[in-house]
Amino acid sequence: ILMSFAEFERQMISERTRDKLSAARKRGKWLGGIPVLGFTVETTPVRKLVIIPEEAAMVEEIFQLYAKYQSLLDVAKDVNRRDWHTKTWITKTGKRLGGRRFNKNDVSRILTDVTYLGKVNFKGDIYEGEHDGIVDEVLFKEAQKILAANRQNGGSSRRNRDRKSGV
């Protein structure tokens, strides 16, 4: 009988925890993890994302470069020429993460992250975040439109546009 009650109590605790995290996310709270490029975590008095101006300028430039080049690889090459690196983060155990050169997946992750709009994503639903955004909505939507077009045609319109006839 005691085992049954203990199992029931574990289930109740798990359900309450899930509900609490879900409610916090819907209120726009950042729940933890490694912050994305452009943000750091302020822990006093509550945990929240705060913009780092130097990194925020990098993020905004990445969005503008993508609007210009319309190619993830070209943007990655450009930011690597500038000697920019991905977000560096030190874990609680002292392990250093990130700080490497950009690749097209890193650029894609930045371009699709609604955190840069000042919003949070929870299970596919987007909620207003309690942090400020870095990129304006017009530039973000333009990047999404280009990404969708490139996904649909495999980037062939980008490649064909650069190719000269007879070359």
Side-chain angles (χ1 to χ4, degrees), residues 12 15 20 23 25 33 37-38 52 54 61-62 71-72 78 98 101 104 110 119 136 141 156-158 161 166:
M12 292 300 295
E15 190 175 313
K20 184 176 180 178
R25 213 39 153 159
L37 185 68
I52 301 170
E54 300 81 27
E61 183 70 16
I62 288 170
S71 165
L72 296 171
D78 192 320
R101 295 172 56 83
K104 67 180 187 174
I110 288 171
K119 300 181 182 205
D136 70 351
K141 284 185 178 181
S156 63
S157 63
R158 170 72 183 135
R161 187 177 65 198

Side-chain angles (χ1 to χ4, degrees), residues 22-67:
S22 175
R25 213 39 153 159
K26 289 176 181 177
R27 286 193 311 272
K29 295 202 176 291
W30 182 78
L31 296 180
I34 299 170
V36 293
L37 185 68
F39 291 99
T40 189
V41 181
E42 181 181 273
T43 56
T44 320
V46 293
R47 294 179 63 109
K48 99 180 221 186
L49 292 177
V50 178
I51 293 175
I52 301 170
E54 300 81 27
E55 290 183 10
M58 289 170 53
V59 169
E60 194 163 358
E61 183 70 16
I62 288 170
F63 273 88
Q64 291 169 355
L65 288 171
Y66 188 68

